[in-house]
């Protein structure tokens, strides 16, 4: 039986190839994702070890008490402590730092934006030799006064900066302009991985990021033969216990590595999800392949049974073939996975950042996963066909071939399918009115979609006949070839359903994602511009960064500006939860915000008086005249509550946020009193232009921390990330379409082999080769149309139910399928079917009529 299994595997290499390719793609995603995760983790560990290679111990300030002054937040980290630590036995060198963040403009005054935490700034702190060993100079000289700056080579290249240029930058305040006098090199991966580095002279760095005469950290290098742990203990004994603490460089590297690993772990989830989808779709191809192989070899199996082979031996023979196919698929998939692992960092890097990169790390986990997944899925998928082969009775098999399913089995399938359909649809319909995107409801929605998919797969053989007869009205227009194609597709509904199942799943997922993505995109578009009466929004993007009063005045005086409303954004605790509050000028707010008040108005805003959104009012049973306990604005450590009177309730408005207050009142109690985070600009006649936008940039001193956006730019920004994510998901789901095409190729190839005599008879009766090719192609298109229709129906129904939950978090959400994209999906699916039939159709047309008719 072992020899028989090996010979059968080699004899049907072409048939097995399709199954191998299907599993190979899924294995590639699994193994590639795991290799990517291991490689990224190793690269991050290596990068962190390089960052802290020269640091044995780092001394930092302890968390200060609430309300501490700036000099208390840096503790005792000053020159006196640095000299004291230099005298500790085992310390070879001391390097203080005054680190922070600084965002710079490129040479053309556009911001060099990077991910948060990657726009580093530090002081250039030379040693006794006049050089800073952490930042070796490559060109020019070190900054020597407050008007000078040095940057790293990568930043200079990215920004087109050269020595002598004037560089505009900002930390967390007014814009500064400094002359570039030096270019340095650095091994800090936060900078080398698409970050930026700005270096100031010592006094300026201390003034910006610590306080005069103080540092943010002091790094120590150990003398040869001194253990970092022992040195850390000595340093701890020398520190003021209540104001500073010591950490080894290795511990800091481990902390950073854990952080990077945690962030990277999220990147691995999406590829693994699509790996599971690919394997699930591929399993249908495997089941179909082995079912057809068993059917074709019915007489062979019967002969084996007749000469003494047991059912167990027959079943093991089929499973052994699946095992061999799984081993081949695992090996090929693992090799393909290495290629996927090498390109994933570039695909998954977002917002201008880059994931840590290094050589591929091939550990035992990806290898074991490739073997386990590839072999496991293939053998499991072949288990049912193996049982079917074992149940073949020798005499019955000698007499006939495939028998149609019994009426009882068809009834059982119908009842089970309808039960799954009713249960899945019931779960989804029950959630359609929830309008609550809680984790529990989302899990229930996913469960309902899974039940719906299972129901369609179970019912597919039963639905094949009516659906294909319906689509046959189109194929019937091609004459006899179209009618024959329809009848061939209906000849074995189970095979047709199994072939269409993979296309059903991939089309359903694509249609569902497209519908949810389009609906969400339109909701974001409406949300970005809804409630905005201004033509431009000037914003800082973060509540801790403020626009200075002079910039507000300059914006208002800009030619072409009709109204400029300053807005102070803060947070407050209202009704037990943190809410976003906008401080506005009651006299001008209606000129730049579209406020729809249910009751009250904005003109009554003032100290101790606020207006709230309808959602906030409903949650707190508040009406005009009610009093609400409002926690302190801002994010200060102490929470104090004040009673505020509600003077208005307005329809939810993303521009106004959760509550409105008088700007003076909000700004006075915010983290930075008097701060402004947004300026809403209304122009003469509502006109926007590149010239006016440039003028507004100039009015805010071309600060890299401040953005100037018109309504269209706000909409594009709101939908940009979603569009990128959907494109990645569409690309990965395309793998399912490829597997579906392989399934159609496999089914048609075997179908042609089974119908050799029939095709020969058609040729003998006068059908030309073009007619044969047309018949096979139309059969493939019929099967593709069947899978596509079921997939679209299931995908759109699931998207409607799942999307309705978004109303809880996105009030502007409305189900809006992209009919143009869905039509394109249908056409591409039909084209996939026609393309998949190319090789089988040519093979069928190439058959010699006489030889085909004479074939036994």
């Amino acid at each position: 039986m072992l020899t028989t299994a090996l010979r059968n595997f080699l004899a049907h290499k072409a048939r097995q190839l399709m199954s191998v390719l299907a599993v190979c793609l899924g294995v590639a995603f699994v193994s590639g994702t795991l290799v990517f995760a291991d490689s990224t983790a190793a690269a991050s560990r290596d990068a962190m070890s390089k960052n802290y290679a020269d640091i044995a111990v780092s001394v930092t300030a302890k968390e200060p008490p609430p309300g501490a002054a700036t000099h208390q937040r840096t503790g005792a980290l000053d020159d006196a402590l640095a000299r004291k630590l230099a005298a500790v036995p085992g310390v070879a060198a001391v390097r203080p730092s005054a680190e922070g963040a600084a965002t710079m403009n490129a040479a053309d005054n556009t911001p060099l934006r990077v991910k948060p935490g990657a726009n580093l700034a530090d002081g250039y702190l030379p040693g006794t030799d006049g050089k800073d060993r952490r930042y070796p100079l490559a060109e020019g000289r070190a900054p020597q006064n407050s008007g000078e700056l040095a940057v790293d080579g990568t930043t200079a290249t990215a920004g087109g900066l050269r020595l002598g240029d004037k560089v505009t930058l900002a930390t967390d305040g007014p814009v500064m302009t400094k002359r570039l006098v030096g270019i340095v090199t650095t091994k800090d991966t936060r900078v080398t991985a698409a970050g930026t580095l700005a270096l100031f002279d010592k006094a300026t760095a201390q003034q910006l990021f610590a306080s005069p005469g103080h540092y943010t950290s002091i790094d120590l290098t150990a003398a040869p033969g001194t253990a970092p742990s022992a040195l850390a203990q000595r340093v701890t004994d020398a520190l003021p216990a209540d104001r500073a603490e010591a950490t080894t460089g290795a511990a800091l590297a481990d902390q950073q590595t854990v952080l990077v690993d945690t962030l990277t772990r999220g990147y691995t989830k999406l590829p693994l999800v699509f790996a599971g989808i690919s394997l699930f779709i591929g399993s249908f191809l495997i089941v179909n392949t082995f079912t057809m192989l068993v059917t074709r070899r019915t007489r062979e199996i019967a002969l084996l049974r007749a000469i003494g082979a047991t059912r167990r031996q027959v079943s093991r023979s089929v499973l052994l073939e699946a095992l061999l196919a799984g081993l081949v698929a695992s090996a090929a998939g693992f090799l393909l996975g290495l290629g996927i692992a090498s390109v994933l960092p570039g695909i998954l890097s977002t917002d201008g950042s880059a994931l840590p990169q290094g050589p591929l790390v091939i550990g035992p986990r990806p290898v074991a996963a490739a073997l386990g997944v590839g072999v496991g899925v293939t053998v499991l998928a072949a288990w049912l066909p193996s049982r079917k082969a074992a149940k073949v009775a020798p005499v019955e098999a000698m007499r006939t071939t495939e028998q149609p399913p019994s009426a009882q089995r068809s009834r059982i399938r119908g009842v089970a399918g309808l039960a799954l359909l009713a249960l899945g649809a019931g779960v989804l319909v029950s959630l359609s009115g929830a309008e609550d995107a809680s984790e529990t409801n989302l899990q229930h929605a996913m469960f309902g979609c899974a039940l719906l998919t299972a129901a369609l797969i179970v019912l597919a053989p039963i639905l094949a006949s009516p659906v294909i007869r319906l689509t046959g009205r189109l194929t019937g227009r091609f004459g006899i070839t179209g009618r024959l194609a329809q009848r061939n597709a209906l000849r074995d509904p189970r095979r047709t359903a199994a072939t269409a199942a993979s296309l059903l799943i991939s089309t359903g997922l694509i249609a569902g994602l497209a519908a949810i993505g389009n609906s969400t995109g339109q909701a974001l578009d409406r949300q970005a511009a809804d409630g905005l009466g201004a033509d431009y929004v000037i914003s800082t993007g973060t509540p801790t960064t403020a626009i200075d009063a002079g910039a507000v005045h300059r914006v208002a005086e800009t030619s072409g500006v009709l109204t400029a409303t300053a807005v102070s954004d803060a947070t407050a605790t209202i009704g037990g939860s943190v809410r976003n509050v906008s401080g506005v000028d009651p006299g001008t707010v209606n000129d730049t915000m579209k406020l729809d008040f249910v009751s009250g108005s904005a003109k009554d805003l003032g100290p101790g008086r606020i207006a709230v959104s309808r959602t906030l009012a409903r949650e707190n049973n508040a009406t005009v005249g009610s009093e609400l306990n409002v926690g302190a604005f801002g994010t200060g450590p102490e929470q104090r509550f004040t009673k505020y009177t509600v003077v208005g309730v307005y329809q939810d408005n993303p521009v106004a946020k959760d509550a409105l207050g008088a700007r003076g009142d909000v700004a006075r109690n915010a983290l930075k009193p008097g701060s402004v985070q947004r300026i809403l600009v209304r122009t003469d006649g509502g006109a926007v232009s590149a010239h006016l936008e440039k003028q507004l940039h100039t009015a805010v001193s071309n600060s890299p921390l401040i953005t100037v956006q018109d309504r269209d730019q706000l909409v594009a920004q709101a939908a940009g990330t979603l569009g990128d994510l959907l494109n990645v998901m569409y690309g990965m789901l395309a793998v399912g379409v490829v597997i579906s095409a392989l399934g159609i190729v496999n089914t048609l190839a075997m179908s042609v082999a089974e119908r050799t005599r029939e095709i020969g008879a058609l040729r003998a009766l006068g059908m030309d080769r073009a007619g044969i090719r047309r018949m096979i192609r139309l059969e493939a298109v019929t099967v593709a149309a069947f899978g596509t229709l079921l997939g679209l129906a299931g995908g759109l129904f699931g998207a409607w139910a799942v999307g309705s939950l978004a109303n809880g978090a996105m009030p502007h959400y409305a189900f809006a399928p992209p009919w143009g994209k869905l039509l394109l999906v249908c056409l591409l699916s039909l084209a996939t079917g026609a393309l998949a039939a190319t090789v089988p159709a040519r093979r069928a047309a190439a058959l010699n009529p006489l030889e085909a008719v004479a074939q036994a």
Side-chain angles (χ1 to χ4, degrees), residues 152 194 373 475 571 837:
D152 69 290
V373 170
T475 57
T571 56

Side-chain angles (χ1 to χ4, degrees), residues 533-748:
D535 300 303
Y536 285 98
V537 175
I538 302 174
S539 61
T540 61
T542 60
T544 57
T545 303
I547 303 173
D548 64 274
V552 176
H553 178 73
R554 290 193 297 272
V555 168
E557 295 297 320
T558 300
S559 175
V561 173
L562 180 64
T563 305
T565 301
V567 181
S568 296
D569 290 323
T571 56
T573 302
I574 305 176
S577 59
V578 177
R579 301 290 184 171
N580 295 313
V581 182
S582 298
V584 298
D585 181 357
T588 61
V589 63
N590 287 318
D591 294 332
T592 52
M593 288 187 188
K594 295 178 180 177
L595 295 171
D596 182 10
F597 274 87
V598 177
S599 58
S601 67
K603 66 180 181 180
D604 295 323
L605 293 174
R609 300 191 296 274
I610 61 172
V612 297
S613 67
R614 189 170 185 177
T615 296
L616 183 58
R618 184 172 61 248
E619 291 176 356
N620 293 276
N621 296 318
T623 58
V624 172
S626 300
E627 289 188 338
L628 291 175
N629 284 326
V630 179
F633 296 114
T635 56
E638 295 181 355
Q639 187 81 44
R640 65 184 186 278
F641 285 87
T642 306
K643 287 190 178 296
Y644 274 74
T645 301
V646 177
V647 296
V649 178
Y650 55 87
Q651 294 287 358
D652 290 14
N653 188 314
V655 179
K657 302 188 183 296
D658 299 314
L660 283 173
R663 188 168 71 84
D665 193 29
V666 174
R668 182 170 55 253
N669 294 285
L671 187 62
K672 288 188 175 182
S675 65
V676 172
Q677 281 70 43
R678 287 182 291 163
I679 306 175
L680 306 182
V681 179
R682 188 174 177 183
T683 63
D684 292 334
V688 296
S689 66
H691 177 68
L692 180 55
E693 183 176 334
K694 185 176 181 180
Q695 285 183 303
L696 294 175
H697 274 289
T698 303
V700 294
S701 305
N702 289 311
S703 172
L705 299 176
I706 299 175
T707 59
V708 179
Q709 297 172 297
D710 59 29
R711 297 167 67 92
D712 292 339
Q713 290 168 335
L714 286 170
V715 170
Q717 180 186 28
T721 303
L722 175 66
D724 293 340
L725 178 61
L726 285 174
N727 288 335
V728 172
M729 297 176 75
Y730 290 149
M732 291 185 173
L733 282 174
V735 175
V737 178
V738 172
I739 296 175
S740 304
L742 295 177
I744 295 174
V745 171
N746 209 24
T747 299
L748 290 177

Side-chain angles (χ1 to χ4, degrees), residues 232-508:
Q233 185 58 51
R234 295 175 199 163
V235 170
T236 300
D237 295 339
L239 293 174
D242 60 334
R243 300 180 68 187
E245 58 186 352
T247 308
T248 64
L252 291 174
D254 291 341
Q255 292 172 8
Q256 292 296 319
T257 299
V258 170
L259 176 61
V260 173
D261 287 349
T262 301
L263 295 175
T264 305
R265 195 176 300 121
Y267 289 116
T268 64
K269 291 182 179 179
L270 187 62
L272 285 177
V273 168
F274 286 98
I277 293 172
S278 298
L279 290 170
F280 182 62
I281 295 174
S283 64
F284 288 94
L285 174 54
I286 299 169
V287 171
N288 213 19
T289 299
F290 277 94
T291 299
M292 289 187 289
L293 285 174
V294 167
T295 301
R296 288 198 64 196
R297 286 155 44 193
T298 301
R299 293 192 176 186
E300 175 189 326
I301 294 172
L303 180 59
L304 291 173
R305 292 294 313 282
I307 61 176
T310 65
R311 290 186 174 185
R312 181 173 296 181
Q313 286 178 318
V314 171
S315 178
R316 287 178 177 175
S317 173
V318 176
L319 291 177
L320 180 58
E321 291 184 49
L323 175 64
L324 294 173
L327 289 172
V328 174
S330 297
F334 184 78
L335 293 176
L336 181 59
L338 297 181
I340 291 176
S342 65
V343 301
L344 271 179
I347 295 175
L348 297 178
S349 293
T350 57
D351 58 37
S353 62
L355 293 172
Q357 296 190 44
L360 293 180
V361 176
I362 304 174
R365 186 174 64 148
V367 176
L371 286 173
V373 170
V375 174
V377 169
T378 309
V379 172
L380 185 63
W383 180 68
L384 286 175
S386 71
R387 285 175 55 85
K388 179 181 178 181
K391 291 180 179 179
V392 173
V395 174
E396 179 184 359
M398 287 290 189
R399 185 171 55 247
T400 184
T401 57
E402 177 74 355
Q403 296 295 321
S406 64
Q408 182 179 1
R409 290 183 60 185
S410 297
R411 284 194 296 271
I412 294 175
R413 175 185 289 272
V415 171
L418 289 175
L420 288 172
L421 182 64
L423 184 59
V427 170
L428 294 175
V429 170
S430 67
L431 293 172
S432 61
E435 297 187 358
D436 178 11
S438 65
E439 184 177 352
T440 301
N441 279 344
L442 288 174
Q443 290 175 350
H444 290 165
M446 294 298 103
F447 177 66
C449 289
L451 289 176
L452 182 64
T453 303
L456 290 176
I457 292 172
V458 172
L459 291 173
I462 299 175
L463 296 174
S465 180
V467 174
I468 290 177
R469 292 185 189 281
L470 178 64
T471 59
R473 296 181 179 180
L474 297 177
T475 57
R477 296 179 179 272
F478 291 89
I480 187 63
T481 56
R483 291 193 293 273
L484 287 173
Q486 178 192 23
R487 293 181 181 179
N488 287 332
L490 291 173
R491 178 178 296 184
D492 189 342
R494 289 180 299 173
R495 179 187 298 181
T496 298
T499 305
S502 55
L503 196 58
L504 182 158
I505 297 169
S506 54
T507 302

